[in-house]
Amino acid sequence: MKNINRYTLNDLCQLVELTPRTVRFYIQKSLLQAPEGSGRGAHYTQAHIERLLEIKKWQHAGLSLERISELLFDESNDKPLPPLKRAKPGDIEVCSHIHIDEGISLTLNPSKAGLTPEQAKQLTLELISLYQRITSSEKEEK
């Protein structure tokens, strides 16, 4: 009976949909630990699968391998959240369109911008205030 916690390189690649060359490259770049054992007895574990899936997720979000490496080896307790997936043509996303004045609106996706509802409101109020100051100073100059 095959141990389900051990994977050959081919099994691993099929599970995470990567090529053996890519897996070896990640090992070479220290993004992924080398397999346990050596030679024909070398095997990969669930930890390898999880790491590869994490790398893939961050790559699909547009991060470089250098940045992914920084995130993977960040020892601080406040690890950053994985980035949001980049929008593709046809994806639907909810945004707020805030009317500033005739011909001027702000499109805002607070969650993608990392803003709380209070911060989004403050940003909106500040932009309206700035716009009003700019337009009133132009009227005074005329």
Side-chain angles (χ1 to χ4, degrees):
M1 184 173 154
K2 190 174 183 179
N3 184 342
I4 61 171
N5 294 324
R6 292 179 167 206
Y7 305 94
T8 65
L9 178 59
N10 287 335
D11 292 341
L12 177 78
C13 291
Q14 285 180 342
L15 287 169
V16 296
E17 299 177 339
L18 291 172
T19 65
R21 182 177 179 179
T22 300
V23 171
R24 289 186 190 107
F25 178 75
Y26 290 162
I27 292 169
Q28 178 188 0
K29 293 293 183 184
S30 300
L31 292 169
L32 182 69
Q33 288 184 334
E36 296 182 9
S38 61
R40 296 187 69 127
H43 63 274
Y44 297 85
T45 65
Q46 187 64 34
H48 289 98
I49 291 173
E50 290 169 11
R51 174 59 62 96
L52 287 169
L53 292 174
E54 191 172 14
I55 292 168
K56 280 183 67 170
K57 174 178 57 181
W58 286 349
Q59 274 194 311
H60 284 123
L63 273 67
S64 68
L65 289 179
E66 182 180 343
R67 180 65 182 133
I68 292 170
S69 179
E70 290 171 5
L71 293 170
L72 291 174
F73 298 105
D74 181 3
E75 297 296 325
S76 66
N77 291 334
D78 56 340
K79 278 200 166 214
L81 294 174
L84 298 171
K85 189 175 179 181
R86 281 189 172 176
K88 293 181 267 181
D91 284 355
I92 297 172
E93 114 185 332
V94 178
C95 296
S96 298
H97 295 278
I98 303 158
H99 179 74
I100 305 292
D101 199 358
E102 192 64 35
I104 300 175
S105 63
L106 169 67
T107 301
L108 181 63
N109 183 331
S111 61
K112 211 170 194 179
L115 298 174
T116 65
E118 294 79 22
Q119 290 171 322
K121 185 175 182 176
Q122 181 182 357
L123 174 65
T124 301
L125 295 173
E126 293 285 338
L127 284 172
I128 291 170
S129 176
L130 175 62
Y131 175 74
Q132 290 171 344
R133 283 196 314 269
I134 291 170
T135 55
S136 67
S137 68
E138 284 182 6
K139 288 177 186 174
E140 290 171 8
E141 290 175 4
K142 290 181 181 181

